[in-house]
Amino acid sequence: MTSRIRIADLAALDDGPVSVGGWIETVRDQKKVQFLVLRDESGAVQLVRPRPAEDDEIASAISGMTVGSFVRVAGELKHDERVKLGGIEVRIETLDVVAAAEPEMPIAPDSSVDKRLDWRFLDLRQPAQQLVFRVQTTFEHALRTWWVEHDFLEVHTPKLMASPSESRAELFQLKYFDTVAYLAQSPQHFKQMAQAAGFGGVFEIADAFRADPSFTARHATEFTSVDMEVSWIDSHEDVMAIHEELIVAGFEAVEAKHGEEIERLLGIEVTVPTRPFPRIPLAEAKRIVAERGYTVPRADEDMDPEGERRIAAYVREELGHDFVFLTDYATSIRPFYHMRSAEDPSLTRSYDLIYRGTEIATGAQREHRVDVLTAQAEDKGLDPKELTTYLDFFRYGIPPHGGFGMGLARVLMLLLERQSIRETTFLFRGPNRLLP
């Protein structure tokens, strides 16, 4: 490895020789002194060099330097409170242009999102864009830490499946040798298999695929799904309790590590939600939004995005909370494997988690009794013979269990107040985007 000091670590060092590396953000080529701003993954620092009477190799290199070029610099670190950029600078002694950039950048800070996505690797050099993925790393690490500390196992489920896991209408199908395979929409069936295997709590953070032609700010054809499943629950209330603990743990970690930087770069204050999160049955939520002037115009019994925004506004105004669990969804709009309510079989023991007006997760208690599960599949018009492998999980004993799936990019989009998950996905995939 090259002996290189991260820019963020320079301020803690005494004056003296240092070696830094990164890309050039700005060039000020003056008569008597030359200035560069060098940025790496951790921050930016000013580089300075007095100009000799006759331009030498370094002076000429600086004069011809293009923004975006990667360089390696050795020089003398100096602390100087007059320097606006962090009170330090590096006085150049040697400069090595590792890779020169072309003169004209194809994007600017005010370019459209689609244009920036075309040149995503350049877009991601911006501190605010990189911050998204530092927050993502911290958030995921906090979730994993919580799970591991509570004796959950991390699993890696296959993304090639012999049969659909959810709706056939949203499946990507591909040739698989002499047969057909599908890209997994969810690890749902495999999470449940782990319960039959006696694993207890399991989690996975991994890709999922939906052949959904939507062009909204919250949909993608490939996305990162945060999934959990756990045994020995009494109801979906147990899943919700774990879910909110995870959210709080993640937000606490983000606020502690990145709160100041988020406020400085994005003008946003991270608010750690209080527990418990509000819970509102779906029928009541619909009544509330109707009383506030909006009737959900759906033919089925589901809530629509505008209804979600309106119930979230109600919760924010009346309860002072950014999150709300909508519970007790109708059997008609939930998968066959959601457990139905013993008190009212037309309802399921399930929920959606709404954050700032957008659904970020769905969770439920699963039906673990194979005879009931088979009947519910038939009730949905499914052929149990096509579900043989899945139903086999339940034939040899399985504990009561439940879990959730959550869209990572949606959480980040709402937390950081970005306009679209395109900005909180490293490389977005949608109906009309397969590059870069």
Side-chain angles (χ1 to χ4, degrees):
M1 287 282 289
T2 302
S3 176
R4 179 181 72 101
I5 298 171
R6 293 167 74 250
I7 290 171
D9 299 329
L10 291 174
L13 301 179
D14 295 329
D15 289 358
V18 294
S19 176
V20 292
W23 65 94
I24 299 301
E25 196 167 73
T26 59
V27 180
R28 283 189 293 145
D29 189 21
Q30 299 178 353
K31 255 186 181 180
K32 294 186 177 180
V33 64
Q34 295 172 301
F35 295 96
L36 301 168
V37 173
L38 180 76
R39 182 171 291 280
D40 70 5
E41 69 277 10
S42 68
V45 68
Q46 177 173 283
L47 309 178
V48 61
R49 186 173 191 262
R51 194 169 204 141
E54 295 282 337
D55 275 4
D56 57 10
E57 188 177 345
I58 294 178
S60 297
I62 294 173
S63 293
M65 189 73 66
T66 50
V67 170
S69 296
F70 277 76
V71 303
R72 183 164 35 226
V73 170
E76 196 77 9
L77 174 67
K78 295 290 183 182
H79 288 72
D80 186 340
E81 61 185 19
R82 294 172 299 176
V83 178
K84 293 180 180 179
L85 188 56
I88 58 172
E89 64 183 13
V90 175
R91 298 181 183 178
I92 300 171
E93 293 178 356
T94 67
L95 183 148
D96 175 23
V97 180
V98 177
E102 293 190 7
E104 294 294 327
M105 283 287 178
I107 57 169
D110 61 351
S111 294
S112 69
V113 171
D114 276 338
K115 181 70 171 177
R116 285 164 40 214
L117 290 183
D118 289 340
W119 298 93
R120 185 60 162 158
F121 61 95
L122 296 177
D123 183 45
L124 290 172
R125 290 186 187 179
Q126 302 302 314
Q129 301 297 345
Q130 284 206 4
L131 177 59
V132 171
F133 298 96
R134 297 189 186 284
V135 169
Q136 174 184 287
T137 300
T138 298
F139 183 72
E140 287 189 41
H141 179 68
L143 301 188
R144 280 195 170 95
T145 299
W146 191 97
W147 277 316
V148 170
E149 288 179 350
H150 289 79
D151 206 28
F152 279 62
L153 299 179
E154 184 167 12
V155 294
H156 300 288
T157 63
K159 304 309 165 198
L160 289 170
M161 301 183 65
S163 59
S165 59
E166 303 278 347
S167 163
R168 285 184 180 274
E170 296 180 350
L171 279 170
F172 284 113
Q173 181 177 311
L174 65 155
K175 181 173 172 54
Y176 192 73
F177 301 104
D178 59 351
T179 186
V180 169
Y182 304 94
L183 293 181
Q185 298 164 300
S186 159
Q188 182 60 48
H189 291 182
F190 301 119
K191 290 190 301 178
Q192 292 187 264
M193 188 192 79
Q195 308 311 299
F199 276 30
V202 298
F203 68 93
E204 180 178 36
I205 302 176
D207 282 356
F209 303 85
R210 296 269 167 119
D212 186 343
S214 298
F215 288 89
T216 74
R218 61 181 188 164
H219 286 94
T221 52
E222 179 181 0
F223 60 96
T224 302
S225 184
V226 179
D227 280 271
M228 182 207 81
E229 203 77 14
V230 63
S231 289
W232 300 112
I233 65 168
D234 292 325
S235 77
H236 56 310
E237 277 289 342
D238 296 321
V239 181
M240 287 189 283
I242 293 174
H243 201 161
E244 63 189 13
E245 280 197 51
L246 285 161
I247 292 287
V248 168
F251 277 47
E252 284 178 339
V254 168
E255 195 280 329
K257 189 166 184 177
H258 306 288
E260 290 183 6
E261 191 177 9
I262 291 171
E263 190 163 4
R264 176 170 56 83
L265 290 178
L266 304 179
I268 297 165
E269 184 178 348
V270 176
T271 302
V272 178
T274 57
R275 296 181 59 228
F277 295 1
R279 290 146 164 76
I280 303 176
L282 182 60
E284 183 182 343
K286 285 186 171 183
R287 179 184 59 76
I288 290 170
V289 299
E291 289 174 354
R292 292 164 66 91
Y294 180 73
T295 301
V296 178
R298 292 185 62 121
D300 60 19
E301 297 179 83
D302 207 351
M303 182 71 92
D304 71 346
E306 180 60 25
E308 291 171 352
R309 285 188 284 272
R310 294 198 178 220
I311 194 63
Y314 165 82
V315 170
R316 163 64 22 213
E317 293 166 17
E318 299 296 325
L319 304 175
H321 214 288
D322 285 333
F323 289 85
V324 58
F325 286 115
L326 299 185
T327 66
D328 305 316
Y329 277 71
T331 299
S332 61
I333 56 172
R334 287 310 211 198
F336 75 94
Y337 52 79
H338 281 197
M339 181 175 281
R340 299 179 182 180
S341 169
E343 296 76 25
D344 184 353
S346 70
L347 302 177
T348 57
R349 292 185 171 189
S350 70
Y351 67 86
D352 277 1
L353 179 56
I354 311 299
Y355 174 35
R356 291 182 170 173
T358 297
E359 178 246 309
I360 60 170
T362 295
Q365 180 173 10
R366 320 302 185 187
E367 180 53 67
H368 62 280
R369 298 162 294 186
V370 66
D371 54 337
V372 177
L373 189 61
T374 302
Q376 289 183 183
E378 291 173 336
D379 186 51
K380 289 282 186 178
L382 301 174
D383 183 355
K385 291 179 182 177
E386 293 186 4
L387 297 168
T388 297
T389 302
Y390 174 68
L391 293 174
D392 281 347
F393 302 160
F394 302 85
R395 300 188 196 283
Y396 301 94
I398 189 170
H401 61 279
F404 68 79
M406 180 169 69
L408 178 62
R410 288 191 186 184
V411 177
L412 296 172
M413 174 186 74
L414 297 162
L415 171 62
L416 300 177
E417 298 182 17
R418 303 294 83 193
Q419 294 300 307
S420 166
I421 62 170
R422 290 166 174 80
E423 297 185 74
T424 54
T425 303
F426 181 61
L427 289 173
F428 175 76
R429 291 292 179 259
N432 61 352
R433 181 167 290 279
L434 274 173
L435 294 171

